[in-house]
Amino acid sequence: MLGIESTSIGLAYILSILSAIGCVIYGICFWNKGAEEINIDDKKWVKEEKELEKEL
Amino acid sequence: MELTYIIVLAYFAVIAYLGWKGYQGTKSDLDYMVAGRNVHPYVMAMSYGATFISTSAIVGFGGAAGVFGMGLLWLTFLNVFVGILLAFVVFGGRTRQMGHHLEAHTFPELMGLRFKSRFIQGFSGLVIFFFMPLYTAAVLIGAATFISAKFGINYELALFGFSAIVAIYVIMGGLKGVMYTDAFQGSIMLIGMVFLLIFTYSKLGGVVNAHEQLAGMSGIAIKIFGKAGHQGWTSMPSFGSPFWWVLVSTIIMGVGIGVLAMPQLAVRYMTVRSKRELNRAVLVGGIFVLAMTGVAFVVGSLSNVYFGKNVDNLDFAIVTTTTVGEDGIEVSNAAPPILAELAPKPDPAKGITVEITKKGSISLLAAGKNVGKIIPSYVLHATPKWFGLLFLLTLLAAAMSTISSQFHTMGTSIGRDFYEKGLLGGKRVKSSIGVTRIGILVAIIFSVFLGYWLQRTYGGQGMSIIARGTAIFFGLCASTFLPMYFGGLFTRKITRAGAISGMLVGFMTSFFWLGFILKIKGKMPALLAEACFGKASLLDHAKSGFILWDQVDPLFIAFPLAIIVTIVVSKLTRPLPEEYVNNCFKGIK
């Protein structure tokens, strides 16, 4: 397969590319899904995170 | 050479500018979140990718591919499928929601709060602080090896010089989560690696042709590494051989699974606004990781073809047979060169003479038996000079983006997780900032020392120290953290005692196996077995079926054991109050 001796490695080669293509398809299909409003927890978290960064 | 310095300085100027913009408070992850604006998914994915992929992956694992071959592509598959798709889609959203709700700012803190245990937070912090330097050292070695080859300076000077630059960078503000800096670095990496792939395939006559030439070299691979199980660079090592165990159990599985429980990556999920940003980042992330690890592993393997054609340092024999014809004239026939070890002995009586000549090479020999030098040697020998410069920037970007997040993680692990939460019970004290800062300094010094010591001790012995050092840390994280991380995010049934037991069993089994069972390479003993018991391994040469116990990675033992212990102890112990657990899962569907 593709000049590669072992089928197992040929498969890994193809699967690596296919999984990256899968990521692209997933990204496109779910591009606008999962949006959430910023809630009070998020704001509190950001405030403390910024303080921590400042300290460092 | 002047141009090299100018471009490197220009690179640092851009990094400094982006860092300064971040310092102004306009471009950090958090500002975007507070402002309610969306981070461009390209930026988020590049930022994650640049943190995930380092010189360790490119130089270390690319070099390992030069030895083990294209079997490492299974790791690329896991990097994309597990490290991006599974990590972002399955783990990312829940980590972000639970982290924000519980106000966790580090990975140990998330685990500590989920299971209401200061011990978990403190202990996890200590494990990260003491063992992450192994990974940081691997990243430093990868960068220093290339710098030393590129500028013709000795390794120690490259290591100390580069470490000093990185230290200044992180101290000047590189610890802040400045996405645009990381995204800029990720973009350079992407350009550099895509060019490297196109160049290599075109230089070797196309995709299939290049692979076929590599497959045609399997005889040489078997002759040189055959005893350890090598079957050629386009074949997997023979099942159950020492090479198979290192490749599959340590390199592929250790990193492939361990990425899910990487503390510095898990906190990245918390810095995005919503699950939508994670979904979008999957698109770019998948391509980025394929372009990084896939290219490094293919090019590392194919470098054998290049060195086979362009470097002559393998011993080949030209066997000449001389016969006397009926007319009394001597006729000499020289056979095509064969590997010296395969040649017959000279026999003057039969007219056989053997002439040894240097012809062809393999990547490991061309790189002076230093696995870490395979990719640098290939880039500097085979590619145009200007690309050597681009590749230098690629590696600087890869190293700095990863190392800054590592130092951040190590500092907070010792200051916030161990000292403030673990020891002082969560009291906010000023001294914890001091402990964090000292922690970062100690982590830098310890990592540099390891980078020096590992290279000096194991560097020239054909061992892939960068890949193995990285894989050991990833495996340790998987065994110690993954059962409770997965259990904490996806089920309400894991108890505090279950989480603690699984964490301790995972860590201690890994530590014991690393110290007393796993032989480092071939005959090199396990780290502590020889000092304590005078043996190379407590299971030296022990074999059960296809299992070579002294070659099995700790992950294969510790991870399943930790899962079992986590589940069994959880079944037998009192769960956390329902109200508390429900609160942890608030908002998670």
Side-chain angles (χ1 to χ4, degrees), chain B residues 538-560:
Chain B
L538 293 185
L539 293 175
D540 202 12
H541 297 300
K543 196 175 174 187
S544 317
F546 70 94
I547 304 171
L548 304 173
W549 291 103
D550 58 9
Q551 301 291 321
V552 176
D553 193 80
L555 174 86
F556 268 46
I557 309 297
F559 184 49

Side-chain angles (χ1 to χ4, degrees), chain B residues 95-109:
Chain B
T95 305
R96 192 194 70 82
Q97 276 184 310
M98 198 178 276
H100 284 197
H101 182 58
L102 296 177
E103 284 195 54
H105 295 268
T106 66
F107 177 78
E109 190 166 39

Side-chain angles (χ1 to χ4, degrees), chain B residues 460-536:
Chain B
Q461 304 190 35
M463 185 185 152
S464 38
I465 42 174
I466 305 174
R468 293 197 72 176
T470 305
I472 284 171
F473 177 69
F474 273 58
L476 182 78
C477 284
S479 305
T480 309
F481 304 133
L482 194 50
M484 70 173 170
Y485 181 38
F486 182 85
L489 289 182
F490 294 97
T491 164
R492 294 163 196 242
K493 290 179 181 168
I494 302 299
T495 66
R496 176 165 48 204
I500 291 175
S501 318
M503 175 181 75
L504 290 178
V505 166
F507 173 76
M508 288 193 291
T509 311
S510 297
F511 189 78
F512 171 79
W513 205 267
L514 268 177
F516 296 100
I517 309 289
L518 181 72
K519 279 204 280 192
I520 294 172
K521 178 181 179 282
K523 290 175 184 168
M524 287 163 92
L527 292 169
L528 299 172
E530 192 168 57
C532 297
F533 299 102
K535 287 179 170 181

Side-chain angles (χ1 to χ4, degrees), chain B residues 13-27:
Chain B
V14 173
I15 294 289
Y17 172 74
L18 290 171
W20 177 75
K21 288 289 279 181
Y23 186 74
Q24 299 284 325
T26 56
K27 293 281 196 288

